[in-house]
């Protein structure tokens, strides 16, 4: 048995699954001040004591990190950057928070400027006085040689300090994005670690010793203890959980679009021949452009509980959510109230929903039923327009899926998959506006939890081989090894696969889910004078994102 839990902003959903089927499902209210209690209640809502003894894995998706960034509830960070020449510091992200220090590796990973110990001593005193104990340390070419980052981290760290190093976050050469990624990793580290501690207590209370995973932005999982070092990878795991939950219902031969209509937002995702689209450079959140590998989604501030009001004589839906629908004793009218009045949704107290519509219909000189129809029509039209806008935007650039770059691909969706609480009531209308057949999967209201439950562990690894210096570097962990001057691309790929499988197994991956693919591979000649003296080989490998093949 597998337990999947999605801790959302409003509800915590849970599913108990066996052989890819949901045995039981539940929704409980989320208490942001008691995540442990929410997870425990969600567990007991679907699993008996005997079920818990049979669990083989537990997977959690959560909005905690995402909300911390969105609401700017971030811890102070000592952001230390070794910039070197070439880029003006004012052009780098977070320039107003940055401490620039000496130390520079060139593009081949050779030291061009040493670290200044006096600068480090001054910084240590400054951070101590300001009680800043979350540090982010980034060097421009640290993915080629991380020694400077490691030395600065070792010098500044003490027992209570959390240190995030840039080369650990990504092996990709994009200095500005690596700065933002490492900063966010440090800024949410304490919050995430508290959650990990609570989850350790959760397992202890359950009395089980089973693998516990957290979903990442790329739709893959990471072991909960390992996630302490990479909390930034869990940002945007909510939309990723939806995509993984939708995946079994997506056509493998046609393009598709999915909408997840929640209480506050609607998330849109696209699929090319059954494969989810990927953010090619990394996800962006609240203006922070990162190297976080993530699935491509667009979110709009429109949901079933959006505040509906009359502003300057015109109807306005959202963007705020004030609470539940008035049919459920909420404070303001919502689209859910409109759906109930129209008889599309048989939930809640219809008389209270009718009063909600009457409060808005009178000033607009409409009947409650007319107003309710206007609200639903407007909601469906807004969602359809956003879907069309997203498709047009995607088709204006190269299309990347989680597996490959599709050169010349034009996305033409042939089906709409709608999930979320209000989805069954509006799917047909949104589909008609898009001229697409609409599918509402069974158990769509808990699709995030089932998506998390079925996601496999994913890992990415970047390698740089320099045959002239006979050195191979594993970018993410800084490990180096000697290679032959005659090493080929195939040799580097083989060494990378061996290391990638080690990392994946340590992260909790299962043998049957270890599908390794070469995501990128480049080879350049190294020229000195007029002669080729070696090769510079760059390889990026990954464990394919996707769903677990079968139950354990």
């Amino acid at each position: 048995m597998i337990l999947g839990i999605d801790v959302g902003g409003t509800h915590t959903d849970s599913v108990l699954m066996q052989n890819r089927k949901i045995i039981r499902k539940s929704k409980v209210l989320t208490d942001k001040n008691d995540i442990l209690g929410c997870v425990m209640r969600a567990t007991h809502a679907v699993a008996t004591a005997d079920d818990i003894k049979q669990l083989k894995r537990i997977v959690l998706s959560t909005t905690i990190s995402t909300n911390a960034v969105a609401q700017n509830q971030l811890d102070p960070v000592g952001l230390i950057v070794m910039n070197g020449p070439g880029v003006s510091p004012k052009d780098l992200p977070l320039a107003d928070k940055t401490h620039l220090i000496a130390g520079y590796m060139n593009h081949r990973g050779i030291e061009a400027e040493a670290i200044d110990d006096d600068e480090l001593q001054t910084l240590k005193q400054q951070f101590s006085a300001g009680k800043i104990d979350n540090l982010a340390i980034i060097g421009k070419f640290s993915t080629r040689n991380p020694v400077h980052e490691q030395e600065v981290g070792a010098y500044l760290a003490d027992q209570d300090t959390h240190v995030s190093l840039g080369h650990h976050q990504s092996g990709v050469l994009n200095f500005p994005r690596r700065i933002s990624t490492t900063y966010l990793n440090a800024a949410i580290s304490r919050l995430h670690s508290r959650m990990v501690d609570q989850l350790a207590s959760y397992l202890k209370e359950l009395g089980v010793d089973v693998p516990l995973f957290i979903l990442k932005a790329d739709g893959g999982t990471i072991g909960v203890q390992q996630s302490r070092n990479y909390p930034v990878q869990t940002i945007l795991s909510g939309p990723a959980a939806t995509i993984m939950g939708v995946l079994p219902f997506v056509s493998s031969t046609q393009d598709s679009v999915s909408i997840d209509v929640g209480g506050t937002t609607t998330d849109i995702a696209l699929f090319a021949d059954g494969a989810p689209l990927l953010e090619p450079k990394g996800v962006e959140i609240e203006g922070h452009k990162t190297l976080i590998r993530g699935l491509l989604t667009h979110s709009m501030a429109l949901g079933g509980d959006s505040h509906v009001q009359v502003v300057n004589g015109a109807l306005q839906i959202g963007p705020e959510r004030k609470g539940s629908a008035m049919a459920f004793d909420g404070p303001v009218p919502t689209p859910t109230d409109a759906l109930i009045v129209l008889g599309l949704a048989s939930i809640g107290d219809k008389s209270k929903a009718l009063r909600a519509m009457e409060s808005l219909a009178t000033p607009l000189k409409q009947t409650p039923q007319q107003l309710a129809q206007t609200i639903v029509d407007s909601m469906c039209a807004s969602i359809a327009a956003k879907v069309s806008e997203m498709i047009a935007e995607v088709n204006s650039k190269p299309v990347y899926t989680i597996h490959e770059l599709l050169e010349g691909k034009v996305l033409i969706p042939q089906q709409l998959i709608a999930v979320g609480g209000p989805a069954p009531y509006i799917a047909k209308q949104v589909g008609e506006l898009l001229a697409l057949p609409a599918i509402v999967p069974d158990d769509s209201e808990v699709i995030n939890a089932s998506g998390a439950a079925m996601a496999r562990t994913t890992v990415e690894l970047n390698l740089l081989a320099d045959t002239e210096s006979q050195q191979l570097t594993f970018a993410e962990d800084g490990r180096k090894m000697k290679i032959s001057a005659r090493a080929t691309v195939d040799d580097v790929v083989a060494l990378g696969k061996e290391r990638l499988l080690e990392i994946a197994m340590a992260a909790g991956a299962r043998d049957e889910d270890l599908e390794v693919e070469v995501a990128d591979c480049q080879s350049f000649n190294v020229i000195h004078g007029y002669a080729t003296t070696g090769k510079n080989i760059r390889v990026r490998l990954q464990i394919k994102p996707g769903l677990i093949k079968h139950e354990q």
Side-chain angles (χ1 to χ4, degrees):
M1 287 185 176
I2 295 176
L3 177 64
I5 300 174
D6 175 59
V7 183
T10 307
H11 290 98
T12 295
D13 302 339
S14 57
V15 294
L16 185 67
M17 302 189 72
Q18 191 170 38
N19 299 323
R20 288 185 173 271
K21 297 190 183 303
I22 296 176
I23 300 171
R24 294 186 209 99
K25 59 185 178 180
S26 174
K27 297 176 85 74
V28 301
L29 286 174
T30 296
D31 182 348
K32 296 173 185 176
N33 298 315
D34 184 18
I35 297 301
L36 175 60
C38 292
V39 173
M40 190 62 74
R41 287 192 294 276
T43 299
H44 288 304
V46 296
T48 66
D50 286 340
D51 294 330
I52 290 169
K53 290 176 185 176
Q54 297 181 58
L55 287 176
K56 296 299 182 184
R57 80 197 292 246
I58 301 172
V59 189
L60 184 82
S61 68
T62 171
T63 61
I64 291 174
S65 295
T66 306
N67 291 344
V69 179
Q71 297 165 15
N72 199 29
Q73 295 175 344
L74 303 173
D75 285 340
V77 174
L79 178 58
I80 303 161
V81 173
M82 290 166 278
N83 185 37
V87 180
S88 172
K90 66 180 176 58
D91 293 331
L92 294 173
L94 302 159
D96 59 328
K97 300 179 185 294
T98 298
H99 301 271
L100 293 168
I101 65 170
Y104 178 65
M105 295 289 180
N106 69 16
H107 68 285
R108 294 187 67 190
I110 299 169
E111 184 178 71
E113 180 184 54
I115 292 167
D116 185 333
D117 287 345
D118 290 339
E119 281 187 330
L120 298 186
Q121 181 59 33
T122 301
L123 273 182
K124 191 162 191 171
Q125 292 170 352
Q126 186 177 338
F127 292 154
S128 178
K131 296 184 178 178
I132 295 174
D133 49 16
N134 290 301
L135 306 183
I137 303 167
I138 310 99
K140 184 183 293 181
F141 289 110
S142 63
T143 55
R144 302 290 170 80
N145 187 343
V147 167
H148 280 168
E149 286 186 355
Q150 292 166 343
E151 289 179 353
V152 174
Y155 189 98
L156 296 177
D158 57 34
Q159 191 173 356
D160 298 321
T161 305
H162 168 84
V163 178
S164 293
L165 301 181
H167 72 280
H168 283 165
Q169 306 310 316
S170 175
V172 176
L173 272 182
N174 189 316
F175 186 44
R177 283 181 177 263
R178 200 171 335 111
I179 290 172
S180 295
T181 307
T182 313
Y183 165 77
L184 289 178
N185 196 72
I188 63 172
S189 172
R190 195 175 308 282
L191 175 71
H192 185 81
S193 285
R194 280 200 296 267
M195 183 186 72
V196 172
D197 289 340
Q198 288 183 324
L199 291 174
S201 299
Y202 159 73
L203 284 179
K204 191 173 181 180
E205 278 193 51
L206 284 185
V208 294
D209 183 17
V210 298
L212 175 59
F213 299 95
I214 292 182
L215 198 71
K216 301 185 298 177
D218 68 353
T221 66
I222 184 172
V224 66
Q225 289 300 332
Q226 191 184 33
S227 74
R228 283 187 193 273
N229 297 322
Y230 310 103
V232 74
Q233 297 294 336
T234 67
I235 285 174
L236 299 177
S237 71
T242 299
I243 292 173
M244 303 316 287
V246 164
L247 210 49
F249 306 97
V250 173
S251 168
S252 61
T253 59
Q254 296 177 327
D255 301 336
S256 308
V257 58
S258 72
I259 57 172
D260 178 10
V261 190
T264 308
T265 61
T266 294
D267 295 323
I268 306 165
L270 298 171
F271 303 79
D273 298 326
L277 266 57
L278 187 75
E279 288 279 10
K281 292 183 179 178
V283 302
E284 180 175 350
I285 180 168
E286 296 300 314
H288 296 285
K289 294 181 178 179
T290 78
L291 287 170
I292 302 166
R293 178 181 166 83
L295 302 177
L296 178 65
T297 61
H298 279 202
S299 184
M300 57 188 302
L302 179 64
D305 292 339
S306 293
H307 180 194
V308 181
Q309 58 186 320
V310 176
V311 179
N312 297 326
L315 198 66
Q316 178 178 306
I317 308 176
E320 291 182 306
R321 176 186 185 273
K322 298 287 189 180
S324 301
M326 288 183 68
F328 293 95
D329 297 319
V332 294
T334 69
T336 297
D337 293 309
L339 291 167
I340 293 169
V341 166
L342 291 173
L344 296 174
S346 300
I347 55 177
D349 187 327
K350 188 169 184 176
S351 64
K352 293 179 180 178
L354 188 61
R355 284 199 292 273
M357 293 299 98
E358 286 172 345
S359 68
L360 298 174
T362 302
L364 293 176
K365 297 180 180 179
Q366 294 184 14
T367 67
Q369 286 74 19
Q370 288 173 329
L371 180 73
Q373 189 65 59
T374 301
I375 291 170
V376 173
D377 290 347
S378 176
M379 183 180 188
C380 292
S382 294
I383 293 172
K386 190 67 176 179
V387 169
S388 298
E389 179 187 320
M390 184 177 176
I391 293 169
E393 183 181 342
V394 165
N395 282 334
S396 69
K397 309 173 195 172
V399 175
Y400 289 81
T401 73
I402 56 174
H403 303 318
E404 59 187 331
L405 163 63
L406 301 179
E407 292 282 3
K409 169 72 176 178
V410 176
L411 207 73
I412 306 175
Q414 300 295 310
Q415 64 173 178
L416 169 71
I417 301 105
V419 300
Y425 318 123
I426 66 170
K428 185 171 182 288
Q429 187 168 341
V430 175
E432 288 171 351
L433 290 169
L434 293 168
L436 296 175
I439 300 167
V440 180
D442 291 340
D443 307 308
S444 70
E445 77 280 11
V446 291
I447 206 92
N448 281 28
S450 64
M454 293 188 295
R456 67 170 63 154
T457 300
T458 55
V459 180
E460 183 177 280
L461 183 63
N462 289 269
L463 301 93
L464 173 69
D466 188 332
T467 62
E468 184 184 33
S469 63
Q470 298 181 42
Q471 185 167 269
L472 174 66
T473 302
F474 299 94
E476 282 81 0
D477 61 9
R479 179 180 293 195
K480 297 180 184 295
M481 65 181 294
K482 189 86 168 172
I483 58 170
S484 166
R486 295 185 296 277
T488 65
V489 169
D490 288 343
D491 295 331
V492 175
V493 169
L495 290 168
K497 284 183 176 180
E498 184 179 337
R499 177 65 183 139
L500 182 70
L501 292 176
E502 289 176 6
I503 296 170
M505 294 300 288
R510 307 182 308 159
D511 286 338
E512 53 268 42
D513 296 324
L514 291 174
E515 292 185 54
V516 179
E517 66 180 358
V518 180
D520 191 25
C521 185
Q522 302 175 54
S523 179
F524 307 92
N525 289 331
V526 178
I527 308 293
H528 285 300
Y530 297 97
T532 299
T533 57
K535 287 188 179 294
N536 190 304
I537 301 169
R538 303 170 194 172
V539 172
R540 179 161 56 88
L541 304 171
Q542 67 170 359
I543 302 294
K544 258 187 186 179
L547 305 178
I548 55 175
K549 286 191 173 180
H550 52 74
E551 300 301 324
Q552 298 175 345

